Amino acid sequence: MAAAFMEEEVDNDDYYALLNVRREATQEELKASYRRLCMLYHPDKHRDPELKTQAEQLFNLVHQAYEVLSDPQSRAIYDVYGKKGLEMEGWEVVERKRTAAEIREEFERLQREREERRLQQRTNPKGTISVSIDATELFDRYDEDFEDLPGSGFPQIEINRMHISQSIEAPLTATDTAILSGSLSTQNGNGGGSINLALRRVTSAKGWGELEFGAGDLQGPLFGLKLFRNLTPKCFFTTSCVLQFSSQGIRPGLTTMVARHLDKNTMGYIQWRWGIQSAMNTSIVRDTKTSHFTMAFQLGIPHTFMMVSYQHKFQDEEQTRLKGSVKAGFFGTVVEYGAERKISRHSVLGATVSIGVPQGVSLKVK
């Protein structure tokens, strides 16, 4: 009898058919049928190897069906959307005791979020808006001769710099990706923009190459080649060549960087740059769950400096971070401190106060 029953074709996605109950079955009817089928399909009750394998498969299917139908919320989701509805991510945070209409609305919301995540993973969009505010007059007035003029009693806060950048990726094949990026900047009344197109190809499990084409109203056309390669499981290097075309001629540039994992959370970098702002830079970066520390030293033209920065990461839903840094070099000394936090699922707001000698005081909102 058991063998004949197991030879019947049953839809594995129809949990009611697996438990041999009607869709309106009560919890008592579900429990009674589940116990009866567990006794019938228990693998230990069959000696024949073929029947034993079939019984084990049906035993697991019956158990899975009962787990879904015995839970009121899971059963309501299954009744409306079937098995695919149960596979939707996010149900674990849904409030219990919801109606069918509320479950339908929740399913549609989770489906939209899943499609957004898929699109974001494919295109990886990134954007930044940064505004620098000159707060010098809060501490030192520009010209005391105008104090008697109407309205001159209030400090003048100026926006002296703004930068907007955006990038998006477009997978072309399994190994090829196109990256489109652009930026707009303005500083003290003068501004400009640029647009770049990069084509990246993954050549092997250890490396990739990238061609870059760019144009802007400040720097002129640009052509670049970048290569990445893993040398060992703990060490990799990148090198990039750039040709910058301008009214003054062609400006070549070469940048090479070697990086190594010093431990689980620490990376060491050595970078050499020739041509455009030539420099030699050495840095150590330590990134953990609660902090991010960077120490860097650079010898170069025109910038030589030493920099130390630290970020503390709070373990909250807003991913709040407090950060501070000190940078000293031939240009002077700059001390920065600020904070940032997540204000929505895809947005972060940050503010940084910069105090420098001889640069003065500025506030940057990002």
Side-chain angles (χ1 to χ4, degrees):
M1 181 177 177
F5 188 88
M6 286 186 286
E7 288 174 359
E8 295 180 4
E9 292 185 1
V10 179
D11 185 359
N12 294 343
D13 292 340
D14 189 344
Y15 290 162
Y16 290 100
L18 283 170
L19 291 176
N20 195 26
V21 296
R22 56 193 178 92
R23 298 187 69 87
E24 299 80 13
T26 64
Q27 289 293 328
E28 289 73 17
E29 291 173 336
L30 288 171
K31 186 180 295 184
S33 180
Y34 172 66
R35 289 179 176 177
R36 180 179 61 82
L37 293 174
C38 282
M39 294 179 63
L40 181 65
Y41 296 144
H42 200 285
D44 293 343
K45 290 185 175 292
H46 305 277
R47 296 182 179 180
D48 185 273
E50 183 178 353
L51 292 181
K52 189 180 182 70
T53 301
Q54 293 181 17
E56 186 175 2
Q57 293 175 352
L58 285 172
F59 182 83
N60 293 331
L61 289 172
V62 166
H63 178 70
Q64 180 182 6
Y66 179 73
E67 278 192 335
V68 172
L69 299 183
S70 61
D71 180 77
Q73 185 191 22
S74 298
R75 183 176 180 179
I77 297 170
Y78 176 79
D79 288 344
V80 177
Y81 295 103
K83 191 175 180 180
K84 69 173 184 178
L86 297 168
E87 296 171 353
M88 180 70 68
E89 296 180 1
W91 286 121
E92 62 275 5
V93 298
V94 175
E95 184 182 356
R96 298 282 173 168
K97 300 179 180 179
R98 289 198 169 193
T99 64
E102 291 173 331
I103 289 175
R104 181 184 298 273
E105 182 180 350
E106 188 67 21
F107 178 84
E108 293 174 353
R109 183 186 68 81
L110 292 173
Q111 194 171 36
R112 287 194 301 269
E113 290 183 357
R114 183 175 65 174
E115 292 302 320
E116 288 178 4
R117 286 196 298 270
R118 286 179 177 177
L119 180 62
Q120 186 177 16
Q121 289 171 357
R122 286 181 60 85
T123 61
N124 192 26
K126 297 178 182 178
T128 300
I129 300 176
S130 178
V131 179
S132 294
I133 301 172
D134 187 348
T136 303
E137 280 216 350
L138 290 176
F139 304 90
D140 186 16
R141 299 299 297 271
Y142 282 117
D143 194 344
E144 297 180 356
D145 295 337
F146 296 95
E147 290 184 353
D148 297 332
L149 294 178
S152 62
F154 296 96
Q156 299 297 314
I157 307 300
E158 299 179 355
I159 296 177
N160 60 4
R161 185 178 185 274
M162 180 179 292
H163 178 78
I164 301 174
S165 63
Q166 180 72 40
S167 67
I168 191 170
E169 298 181 2
L172 304 178
T173 66
T175 58
D176 298 329
T177 302
I179 306 169
L180 181 64
S181 61
S183 65
L184 293 171
S185 298
T186 177
Q187 184 170 1
N188 296 326
N190 297 317
S194 64
I195 185 169
N196 292 71
L197 174 63
L199 300 175
R200 179 181 297 174
R201 164 165 286 188
V202 178
T203 55
S204 67
K206 292 185 177 181
W208 49 263
E210 183 177 288
L211 286 175
E212 182 182 8
F213 307 90
D217 56 355
L218 295 180
Q219 299 177 338
L222 174 146
F223 173 77
L225 172 65
K226 186 175 183 180
L227 299 175
F228 171 89
R229 180 76 177 180
N230 279 312
L231 301 178
T232 68
K234 292 186 177 182
C235 183
F236 67 87
F237 90 99
T238 62
T239 183
S240 61
C241 303
V242 176
L243 292 178
Q244 182 77 62
F245 299 87
S246 66
S247 58
Q248 300 176 354
I250 301 177
R251 300 177 60 193
L254 175 65
T255 301
T256 300
M257 182 185 71
V258 178
R260 178 177 173 81
H261 288 272
L262 303 180
D263 60 36
K264 180 181 178 181
N265 300 307
T266 308
M267 291 286 296
Y269 299 90
I270 297 178
Q271 184 185 72
W272 176 70
R273 187 168 61 244
W274 170 83
I276 304 174
Q277 294 187 350
S278 299
M280 174 72 76
N281 184 292
T282 303
S283 60
I284 296 176
V285 179
R286 180 171 178 80
D287 191 14
T288 66
K289 189 176 181 180
T290 59
S291 65
H292 182 94
F293 174 79
T294 302
M295 182 171 64
F297 177 71
Q298 175 172 302
L299 290 173
I301 302 172
H303 299 301
T304 295
F305 65 85
M306 182 174 183
M307 186 266 291
V308 177
S309 69
Y310 176 81
Q311 289 186 20
H312 182 76
K313 308 174 188 177
F314 291 91
Q315 303 304 304
D316 54 5
E317 294 182 357
E318 291 78 18
Q319 301 178 10
T320 306
R321 296 188 179 193
L322 295 179
K323 52 186 179 180
S325 66
V326 178
K327 188 175 182 181
F330 291 170
F331 55 83
T333 302
V334 178
V335 177
E336 293 186 344
Y337 61 91
E340 67 177 39
R341 68 184 303 173
K342 191 174 182 180
I343 57 175
S344 70
R345 195 153 56 95
H346 300 299
S347 302
V348 175
L349 177 65
T352 303
V353 175
S354 176
I355 304 173
V357 178
Q359 292 86 351
V361 180
S362 64
L363 170 66
K364 182 167 70 173
V365 179
K366 179 179 179 181

